Amino acid sequence: MPRLARLVLRRLAGSVPVLLIVVVGVFLLLDSAGGDAVDAYLVSIGGGDAALAEELRARYGLDRSVLARLLLTLGQLARGDLGWSVALNRPIGAVIAERLPNTLWLMGSATALAFASGSALGIVAGRRPGSAIDRLLSGGSLMLYSVPSFWLGLVLAVVFAVRLQWLPVSGIETIASGATGLARAADVARHLVLPVAALGTIYLALFLRVMRAGMVEAWGQDYTLAARARGVSSWRVALNHAARNALLPLVTMLGLQAASMIGGSVVIESVFGIPGFGRLAQEAVAGRDAPLLMAVILVSAVMVVAANLAVDLACGWLDPRIGSGRGGRG
Amino acid sequence: MRALFSRRLISRRSLLGSAAALLGSTALPRLGFAAGAVRLVAAADSEPRQLNPAIVASNGVFFIASKVIEPLAEASYDDGGLRPLLATGWEGSEDGSSVTFALREGVSWHDGKPFTSADVAFSAMEVWKPLQNIGRGVFANLEAVDTPDDHTAVFRFAKPMPLQLIANALPVVSAVLPKHVYEGTDIAENPANAALVGTGPFVWGEHRPGEYYLLRKNPAYWNAGEPRVDEVVFRVLPDRAAAASSLEAGEIQLAAFSAVPLVELDRIGKVPGLEVVTKGYEALTYQLVVEINHRNEHLKELKVRQAIAHAIDKAFVLDTIFLGYATAATGPVPANAPEFHTDDVTIYDFDVAKANALLDEAGFARGADGTRVALRLLPAPYFNETKQFGDYLRRALAAIGIDATIVANDSAGHQKAVYTEHAFDLAIAPTVFRGDPAISTTILVRSGVPDGVPFSNQGGYANAEIDRVVDEALVTLDPGARVELYHQFQRLVTADLPLINVADWSFTSVASDRVENIATNPRWAVSNWADVGLAD
């Protein structure tokens, strides 16, 4: 555990310059967009006089220069304080703590679904490249991969929630149900079925194709040929020899997809009304809330760094030749 | 779920347990609808930054807060247009210097303290007048509120104040706050702005950000027998497709404020158990307006403005953009405000040839490419209809040789560009008529509005005659004379076209047919819903 913690910290420290550039860039970009938080607020309340706008700007600290506001926010971040959200009128730390779990559940379940079924189907397809089942799975996955996730989400919602009414249309849990413990977990799980299916299915296709490609490559290698020459059954060769080696690029892909998965969950959260990170980012931009947007982006970046770290560790476990930072193939 | 997440270890047993519970739950009826409690679930498309209706007089705030905090009076379809709530009567002095309110007796706050005239005086002097976006204007000349006894409040004004204006403004500006909760605090940041304390039929329950607001029945409500439902839940559904599908799935019973897009209404109206209701928004009428920057050398010519008015096919706009859910505007006061409206004004028929002739007369000849003038057009992004009308207007203007370039912004960007920086030639706004032209209509054309005020005259227009009529109506006590001044106002505006009124529209509700007493007043969605019921 301490070694892991050190590794995480080293990775994070290494990403500080990048994060700093991203955070400052986001701040300046949002600042250069027309209008500020008070403009957004005045529109939302249907208008107010000029003195009111001035009072609000003073109250929110928007009467200060760009540089002063940027330095203030960076200083707060350096002290580990995410600051105050003007758009939501709440501390940003609390908002993040509220929204992050929803997004993590969504992304985590979707990733698990996509990875598990994608790799399994990839093995089936790649066991005998060119076979009928391979053509079916490869073709199907190509179709799935071309489907926009929001469209798939809407179709799933119309079929399973509106028509069949098997599952809830939207939300993360039944409103004001008062359920606790297992009943609540089950309720959340029911709400996650459709969004996870919509988000996961598309990545499933991706993992399927990568797994299949890895399998096809493995069949051309000497070790599979040798195994088959020894008379090992074709399923055992597929699972123990080809698939094991084809898994590595798949796990690497998992890390690479972490960032795009966050982007995908923005769309899915909106379709299924899940109060997660994606909606928070959208609210931050619409409300011209630079500190909130910076916090969302920072936390997302940390999540991506952590996901990649986990992938590195997993690769090291799958392939002993890859040491944790001590040379080797990776 | 959060509890699960924060636990460091999830044991295999608990995982198996949740899997089993998950399997079981699919066979169960919907969780959470507690037996016996009648719960009305409505869609809310936004979560206001703060919910205090005495500070923020906006429809987004009223939609939720009006069930908890009540005004002195509510709009009504009955004669006189007002239904007494916390005030039972009001009377103006001869000289217009004061208005005396008789207050309802036997009313208590949700925390049990009695409601008295001190609460009204505090709300008026400490909140409506200094803090409220609309009240700052309406109560600008309010000097003091006297409280001769617990149930009488006398508003004293520095200048004569028409009772007609005060009465029309009551539903919007007069949400009463409990003095004992707010006195001596920073009112704008008081925690009660997020957990409301009022006298209304519903008591504040909880707000789960991003998910819902829960209000519970007030068992001690002053009007015995009300409210008729036990709970009102506002489900946060920012995605417009979600409101329609949630209605169809029976997860919500009401989507107000056109949460279901116009194009969906025809289909959803045919779904068994759902109905489309167009009534109940008459006092929340919006106007589709073309705002004009009079600093532009072409647009300051009356003939150019007239040509633009003639180039707009209102019938097409009503049919194609509003799908019939709107009416053609005659001027700056909608027909839904019969007290003030007149159609004895200059009407601009759709006539492209006449528009072209006017531009020729004005001396703006077509160039080699057929273009006379190039303009920037900024449609407000708040409604689908304002954006769609932007696309339409661009084509309509092309027919008369005006090349309009659409500049698209989001809300904050639009507010800054149009109302602060004046970086527009034409803009499209959805302005609101709030019961009396003095509240938020005359500001659209009155000169001297400072920069940065949204939904105001930021086009640099100045007309001494219009200013005079607007100012005179503010201090005219006789209702008939005041109405006549506003008729004159409508004639002046339509003749000189500081802006062009295209359509008047209100919202629609889609509701389960189990919901009883929908649209019982002209501000129904933002009224207190005390009489709303939910049939079995």
Side-chain angles (χ1 to χ4, degrees):
Chain A
M1 201 61 193
R3 188 176 138 265
L4 190 67
R6 268 205 309 280
L7 208 60
V8 173
L9 279 180
R10 209 168 64 209
R11 278 297 179 85
L12 282 178
S15 28
V16 162
V18 178
L19 290 180
L20 198 66
I21 293 172
V22 168
V23 160
V24 172
V26 163
F27 187 93
L28 294 178
L29 198 65
L30 199 60
D31 194 76
S32 68
D36 60 13
V38 170
D39 289 317
Y41 177 64
L42 285 181
V43 169
S44 78
I45 67 172
D49 57 88
L52 178 67
E54 237 169 76
E55 284 168 33
L56 288 171
R57 285 203 169 87
R59 201 180 259 275
Y60 300 168
L62 292 171
D63 50 350
R64 279 172 268 179
S65 71
V66 186
L67 193 65
R69 280 182 287 126
L70 178 61
L71 289 177
L72 181 75
T73 313
L74 288 178
Q76 276 175 342
L77 285 177
R79 290 195 303 276
D81 176 7
L82 291 174
W84 186 266
S85 163
V86 166
L88 303 176
N89 201 20
R90 298 179 60 207
I92 292 173
V95 176
I96 299 261
E98 215 168 68
R99 305 283 181 105
L100 185 59
N102 295 340
T103 299
L104 283 179
W105 276 111
L106 176 60
M107 279 177 54
S109 322
T111 306
L113 169 83
F115 188 79
S117 353
S119 52
L121 291 173
I123 291 171
V124 172
R127 192 174 77 86
R128 289 172 64 186
S131 65
I133 188 142
D134 174 37
R135 283 205 299 269
L136 183 75
L137 284 172
S138 298
S141 69
L142 196 64
M143 263 175 61
L144 269 184
Y145 192 58
S146 342
V147 168
S149 60
F150 74 88
W151 183 83
L152 185 62
L154 288 171
V155 169
L156 288 175
V158 167
V159 174
F160 292 102
V162 176
R163 294 269 176 268
L164 298 172
Q165 304 206 359
W166 290 351
L167 291 162
V169 175
S170 64
I172 187 72
E173 61 181 309
T174 303
I175 39 174
S177 64
T180 51
L182 274 182
R184 184 163 176 224
D187 184 40
V188 171
R190 278 187 72 224
H191 280 79
L192 278 176
V193 171
L194 291 181
V196 163
L199 185 60
T201 311
I202 282 151
Y203 290 93
L204 179 155
L206 186 69
F207 287 122
L208 189 158
R209 296 191 69 78
V210 172
M211 188 71 187
R212 182 192 169 275
M215 294 282 287
V216 169
E217 199 191 317
W219 287 125
Q221 301 289 322
D222 292 344
Y223 59 84
T224 50
L225 200 65
R228 296 188 69 178
R230 286 201 309 274
V232 180
S233 79
S234 91
W235 265 113
R236 278 191 69 167
V237 179
L239 287 176
N240 291 356
H241 299 261
R244 184 109 194 250
N245 283 293
L247 205 58
L248 268 181
L250 203 66
V251 172
T252 312
M253 174 69 84
L254 198 61
L256 294 176
Q257 289 305 319
S260 93
M261 193 74 120
I262 293 181
S265 71
V266 171
V267 175
I268 292 297
E269 279 171 18
S270 159
V271 170
F272 287 98
I274 294 174
F277 242 45
R279 224 165 89 187
L280 193 61
Q282 191 249 324
E283 285 167 15
V285 173
R288 293 291 187 274
D289 193 338
L292 180 59
L293 188 64
M294 284 162 85
V296 168
I297 289 187
L298 257 184
V299 175
S300 307
V302 169
M303 273 159 58
V304 171
V305 169
N308 279 293
L309 183 73
V311 163
D312 283 0
L313 293 173
C315 282
W317 176 70
L318 283 169
D319 185 347
R321 286 171 301 179
I322 307 172
S324 51
R326 282 182 282 116
R329 200 183 69 173
Chain B
M1 174 217 58
R2 269 165 214 130
L4 247 186
F5 180 75
S6 64
R7 264 159 62 182
R8 197 168 286 171
L9 276 173
I10 302 172
S11 72
R12 182 175 298 178
R13 183 180 294 174
S14 77
L15 267 182
L16 284 174
S18 24
L22 169 64
L23 282 174
S25 70
T26 52
L28 294 171
R30 273 203 188 77
L31 289 171
F33 285 77
V38 179
R39 174 187 284 180
L40 173 70
V41 187
D45 70 346
S46 68
E47 294 165 278
R49 182 181 182 278
Q50 67 118 313
L51 267 181
N52 190 330
I55 299 177
V56 177
S58 79
N59 289 336
V61 168
F62 288 140
F63 184 46
I64 294 158
S66 60
K67 285 70 192 163
V68 181
I69 295 182
E70 293 179 302
L72 294 174
E74 185 52 274
S76 163
Y77 287 127
D78 296 339
D79 280 349
L82 282 176
R83 176 189 165 220
L85 285 179
L86 290 178
T88 51
W90 40 90
E91 203 174 326
S93 67
E94 288 274 314
D95 60 356
S97 66
S98 72
V99 179
T100 302
F101 289 93
L103 302 178
R104 192 173 293 280
E105 301 187 25
V107 176
S108 22
W109 294 101
H110 293 157
D111 61 9
K113 299 249 174 24
F115 158 78
T116 69
S117 54
D119 297 310
V120 175
F122 175 82
S123 301
M125 293 308 294
E126 305 297 326
V127 189
W128 306 340
K129 177 181 164 159
L131 298 176
Q132 189 193 85
N133 54 333
I134 307 280
R136 285 163 72 110
V138 172
F139 293 113
N141 297 317
L142 180 66
E143 270 191 332
V145 178
D146 299 340
T147 51
D149 63 56
D150 273 359
H151 299 102
T152 307
V154 185
F155 284 47
R156 302 204 175 282
F157 293 91
K159 286 191 202 165
M161 187 71 178
L163 182 65
Q164 185 183 40
L165 167 56
I166 289 287
N168 285 334
L170 284 180
V172 176
V173 298
S174 72
V176 185
L177 297 183
K179 181 182 178 185
H180 63 275
V181 172
Y182 284 89
E183 193 178 28
T185 68
D186 179 357
I187 294 170
E189 300 298 331
N190 191 300
N193 296 341
L196 307 173
V197 180
T199 57
F202 295 94
V203 180
W204 182 257
E206 65 169 329
H207 173 208
R208 285 279 291 276
E211 295 185 54
Y212 62 84
Y213 296 87
L214 169 67
L215 310 178
R216 294 195 178 89
K217 178 180 190 159
N218 173 10
Y221 187 54
W222 54 262
N223 203 12
E226 290 181 334
R228 295 179 53 213
V229 295
D230 299 312
E231 292 176 349
V232 174
V233 170
F234 293 93
R235 173 90 180 268
V236 180
L237 293 172
D239 188 78
R240 299 180 105 217
S245 38
S246 299
L247 276 165
E248 283 185 74
E251 291 182 13
I252 63 174
Q253 289 90 42
L254 174 71
F257 280 112
S258 302
V260 176
L262 292 180
V263 288
E264 286 257 38
L265 289 180
D266 196 33
R267 183 186 67 80
I268 210 162
K270 294 184 182 121
V271 173
L274 294 181
E275 55 177 342
V276 175
V277 181
T278 54
K279 273 187 71 186
Y281 295 97
E282 293 78 0
L284 307 174
T285 297
Y286 280 61
Q287 298 198 287
L288 186 71
V289 171
V290 180
E291 293 172 307
I292 295 169
N293 195 339
H294 296 262
R295 299 172 188 89
N296 180 292
E297 55 170 332
H298 304 106
L299 295 172
K300 69 182 172 199
E301 301 291 331
L302 176 59
K303 281 181 178 161
V304 176
R305 304 198 294 272
Q306 289 171 332
I308 294 173
H310 279 299
I312 298 170
D313 183 356
K314 289 180 183 170
F316 178 88
V317 172
L318 299 182
D319 288 348
T320 310
I321 296 177
F322 288 98
L323 304 175
Y325 292 97
T327 51
T330 54
V333 174
N336 269 342
E339 187 180 10
F340 296 106
H341 172 80
T342 174
D343 46 21
D344 177 21
V345 294
T346 315
I347 303 282
Y348 297 85
D349 299 325
F350 174 53
D351 189 340
V352 175
K354 192 168 178 185
N356 274 311
L358 280 162
L359 289 171
D360 289 339
E361 278 172 40
F364 300 117
R366 286 181 187 261
D369 60 350
T371 302
R372 306 170 191 269
V373 177
L375 297 174
R376 294 163 296 177
L377 170 61
L378 277 71
Y382 327 125
F383 295 95
N384 274 345
E385 291 75 23
T386 51
K387 289 184 279 189
Q388 288 166 351
F389 178 66
D391 296 334
Y392 164 75
L393 185 58
R394 187 176 172 280
R395 284 197 296 131
L397 291 175
I400 58 169
I402 295 178
D403 177 24
T405 306
I406 290 191
V407 182
N409 287 302
D410 70 352
S411 292
H414 183 79
Q415 146 69 9
K416 176 91 167 181
V418 175
Y419 299 108
T420 306
E421 291 176 340
H422 311 139
F424 73 106
D425 298 312
L426 298 173
I428 295 160
T431 59
V432 193
F433 185 85
R434 289 190 171 90
D436 192 290
I439 298 174
S440 55
T441 304
T442 54
I443 194 176
L444 299 170
V445 292
R446 174 74 171 87
S447 69
V449 182
D451 294 354
V453 178
F455 313 112
S456 71
N457 171 16
Q458 294 293 343
Y461 179 75
N463 179 325
E465 178 65 1
I466 289 182
D467 287 357
R468 187 192 65 74
V469 170
V470 165
D471 294 348
E472 200 180 324
L474 268 183
V475 292
T476 299
L477 301 179
D478 177 60
R482 199 164 167 265
V483 164
E484 183 40 50
L485 282 167
Y486 284 123
H487 285 178
Q488 204 182 333
F489 167 75
Q490 291 166 71
R491 283 191 284 272
L492 288 167
V493 168
T494 51
D496 202 39
L497 292 178
L499 42 75
I500 300 168
N501 286 90
V502 179
D504 300 339
W505 91 93
S506 290
F507 298 97
T508 51
S509 307
V510 180
S512 156
D513 53 17
R514 292 166 52 215
V515 183
E516 298 167 342
N517 286 339
I518 297 183
T520 46
N521 72 64
R523 289 177 83 244
W524 181 75
V526 295
S527 66
N528 69 18
W529 290 5
D531 61 346
V532 172
L534 194 62
D536 290 335

